[in-house]
């Protein structure tokens, strides 16, 4: 079949090209800026270059440098400026370019951004979105591949969103920009080029609100709980486990704050077993909090301890070693094997 023919539907109309997560994020900001003149985008190289990952491509050309603004290489200054903009009624959207680049701005985030609405007893909203490309898998060097979500998760006053699909990237970024609370929007950079042929840029489908987890794959044997870049890994692991007769459920958290205890507990109470998977470190990482919450709420339903598959407790390794550091399918399946299965569960298993 020719390329031209492949791009036509049966009814003769042109088929949509698959949309990427980067394109969905770009469209979310473009639509927000078109609808609300108080929405401003700022960060390093977001203007003329369109961002390192081209997520802000075309925004300066369409809305002008006053609303999509290149800033100096000074993260504390960027976030401090955005804080002032939000206090004066604007809705700034900050790009931190890379995960570990955000650390110099952490004092502004913890001391001021996260506390402002509480400090003023709700009188001063803080409609500030901080976009943080995070995670590994792209061969990035140190300071370019951290999974820093644990820091934000442990900071009261912040919401923490982390989409894993094209549809969620658009819908959740729109929700973040519209929020009167500060949102740290964690973008899994290795999923920027993931595609969705069904996502319609002209009519983006509605998605559940942040704080509502989604079951990406139904199962009965055990629950894999994950988010962001580890969602595709867990789905692949579930397909591999099916060959051994195990039916794994995969739950995508979608946001770490707010957290959906109800969906997680409903799943774990049915399956009796759970594995939490993420790229952040294991010690003190998000999985520790999630495992504790499951144990507190589902203890009498558990058939085995809640296990974690995480990045190692080390600074992010050099690119050639990151495949060993990142949770992969084999490590997830190894954890599933350690869920204290009774003999009848594993009878006939090849692993």
């Amino acid at each position: 079949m020719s390329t031209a023919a492949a791009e036509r539907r049966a009814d003769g109309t042109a088929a949509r090209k698959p949309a990427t997560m980067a394109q969905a994020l770009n469209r979310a900001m473009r639509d927000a800026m078109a609808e609300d003149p108080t929405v401003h985008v700022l960060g390093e190289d977001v203007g003329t270059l369109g961002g390192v990952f081209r997520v802000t491509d075309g925004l300066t050309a369409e809305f002008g440098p006053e609303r999509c603004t290149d800033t100096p290489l000074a993260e504390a200054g960027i976030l401090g400026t955005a804080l002032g903009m939000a206090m004066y009624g604007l809705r700034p959207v900050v790009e931190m370019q890379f995960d570990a680049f955000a650390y110099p701005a952490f004092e502004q985030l913890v001391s001021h951004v996260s506390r402002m609405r509480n400090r003023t007893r709700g009188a001063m909203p803080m409609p500030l979105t901080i976009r943080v490309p995070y995670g590994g898998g792209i061969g990035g060097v140190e300071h370019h591949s951290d999974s820093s979500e644990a820091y934000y998760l442990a900071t009261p006053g912040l919401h923490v969103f982390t989409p894993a699909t094209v549809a969620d990237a658009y819908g959740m970024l729109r929700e973040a920009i519209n929020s009167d609370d500060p949102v740290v929007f964690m973008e899994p950079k290795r999923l920027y080029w993931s595609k969705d042929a069904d996502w319609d840029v002209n009519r983006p489908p509605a998605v559940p609100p942040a704080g509502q987890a989604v079951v990406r794959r139904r199962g009965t044997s055990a629950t894999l709980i994950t988010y962001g870049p580890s969602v595709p890994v867990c789905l692949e692991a579930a397909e591999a486990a099916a060959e051994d007769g195990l039916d794994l459920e995969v739950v995508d958290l979608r946001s770490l704050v707010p957290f959906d205890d109800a969906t997680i507990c409903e799943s774990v109470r049915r399956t009796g077993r759970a594995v939490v998977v993420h790229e952040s470190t294991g010690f003190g990482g998000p999985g520790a909090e999630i495992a504790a919450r499951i144990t507190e709420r589902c203890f009498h339903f558990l058939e085995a301890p809640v296990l974690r598959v995480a990045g190692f407790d080390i600074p992010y390794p050099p690119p050639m070693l990151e495949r060993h550091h990142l949770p992969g399918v084999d490590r997830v399946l190894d954890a599933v094997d350690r869920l204290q299965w009774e003999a009848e569960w594993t009878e006939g298993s090849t692993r």
Side-chain angles (χ1 to χ4, degrees):
M1 180 182 293
S2 68
T3 301
E7 293 178 350
R8 310 295 295 183
R9 293 193 184 93
D11 61 4
T13 61
R16 283 197 302 270
K17 293 183 178 180
T20 67
M21 179 179 285
Q23 290 171 332
L25 293 166
N26 179 278
R27 184 56 183 253
M29 285 183 281
R30 175 175 276 106
D31 289 351
M33 295 174 78
E35 293 175 12
D36 184 351
T38 68
V39 177
H40 289 246
V41 174
L42 63 156
E44 298 165 5
D45 298 318
V46 299
T48 303
L49 181 65
V52 170
F53 299 100
R54 304 300 186 266
V55 175
T56 56
D57 187 41
L59 297 183
T60 294
E62 184 169 348
F63 299 100
E66 298 82 11
R67 291 190 60 201
C68 183
T69 307
D70 283 326
T71 66
L73 307 182
E75 286 78 11
I78 296 169
L79 190 54
T81 300
L83 168 66
M85 293 168 66
M87 292 174 68
Y88 276 85
L90 299 177
R91 290 186 176 271
V93 181
V94 169
E95 179 182 299
M96 282 298 172
Q97 195 168 86
F98 284 97
D99 30 58
F101 289 11
Y103 299 154
F106 203 66
E107 191 277 332
Q108 291 283 345
L109 186 72
V110 173
S111 296
H112 304 293
V113 172
S114 67
R115 301 171 189 262
M116 189 59 66
R117 199 169 189 192
N118 182 269
R119 175 184 291 153
T120 61
R121 298 184 180 182
M124 182 170 287
M126 187 46 53
L128 170 56
T129 301
I130 305 164
R131 295 180 42 245
V132 182
Y134 83 114
I138 65 165
V141 296
E142 189 180 14
H143 293 102
H144 293 72
S145 299
D146 280 11
S147 291
S148 48
E149 60 269 30
Y151 301 131
Y152 307 116
L153 173 65
T155 304
L158 300 178
H159 289 188
V160 184
F161 297 178
T162 175
T165 68
V166 172
D168 271 354
Y170 177 89
M172 295 181 73
L173 184 53
R174 291 299 307 272
E175 181 180 352
I177 295 171
N178 289 333
S179 175
D180 285 335
D181 287 307
V183 178
V184 179
F185 197 86
M186 309 290 291
E187 300 172 3
K189 64 174 77 74
R190 66 167 149 159
L191 298 186
Y192 273 150
W193 302 277
S194 60
K195 296 180 179 180
D196 184 348
D198 296 323
W199 191 76
D200 188 346
V201 66
N202 297 312
R203 288 189 294 180
V207 298
Q212 183 174 329
V214 170
V215 178
R216 299 293 181 192
R217 185 186 191 278
R218 291 286 178 181
T220 58
S221 301
T223 302
L224 303 181
I225 301 162
T226 189
Y227 56 87
S230 295
V231 171
V233 174
C234 287
L235 289 171
E236 185 179 351
E239 292 300 316
E243 298 176 5
D244 289 342
L246 293 177
D247 187 18
L248 302 182
E249 183 149 301
V250 178
V251 179
D252 177 3
L253 292 173
R254 303 176 66 248
S255 70
L256 297 174
V257 182
F259 188 85
D260 186 355
D261 286 299
T263 298
I264 298 303
C265 290
E266 190 279 330
S267 176
V268 174
R269 287 169 181 168
R270 279 192 297 100
T271 65
R273 292 172 170 84
V275 178
V276 186
V277 183
H278 57 65
E279 290 187 15
S280 184
T281 55
F283 186 85
E289 173 65 22
I290 297 168
R293 298 177 81 88
I294 293 171
T295 302
E296 290 170 352
R297 292 162 174 79
C298 306
F299 181 79
H300 294 290
F301 295 86
L302 291 172
E303 301 289 341
V306 180
L307 300 182
R308 291 172 289 162
V309 180
F312 298 128
D313 298 330
I314 59 173
Y316 200 85
M320 293 185 67
L321 297 176
E322 69 175 352
R323 68 184 186 278
H324 303 293
H325 175 75
L326 297 173
V329 171
D330 288 342
R331 288 178 62 193
V332 174
L333 294 178
D334 286 344
V336 171
D337 277 344
R338 293 187 282 113
L339 286 173
Q340 297 183 5
W341 301 94
E342 292 96 353
E344 60 267 23
W345 288 89
T346 56
E347 185 176 354
S349 175
T350 59
R351 288 193 293 107

